Amino acid sequence: MTLDPALLPDDVDALERLIVGMAREAVQADTLVEKLCFELDRLKRARFGASSEEIG
């Protein structure tokens, strides 16, 4: 995602709110990715069974 600096607000408080919002969205996205990875692993185990090979 590219952000044009000219579009950023000049107000420090507005910039802080923008950064906090973006950080919150990043954490939510990471959480969703983690949940989806666990669900994918669960579905693969249900379909193919447990792997006998150790995965690091």
Side-chain angles (χ1 to χ4, degrees):
M1 176 176 128
T2 304
L3 206 60
D4 183 5
L7 298 176
L8 293 173
D10 291 330
D11 179 32
V12 173
D13 292 331
L15 282 171
E16 286 178 353
R17 287 190 301 272
L18 180 64
I19 291 169
V20 168
M22 291 174 75
R24 186 176 296 123
E25 288 175 7
V27 168
Q28 290 172 345
D30 285 345
T31 302
L32 178 59
V33 168
E34 189 173 321
K35 286 179 182 180
L36 290 172
C37 285
F38 282 124
E39 181 67 11
L40 181 58
D41 288 341
R42 186 187 70 77
L43 291 171
K44 286 194 290 189
R45 278 191 306 275
R47 170 120 188 190
F48 302 112
S51 174
S52 61
E53 181 178 319
E54 284 290 321
I55 299 174

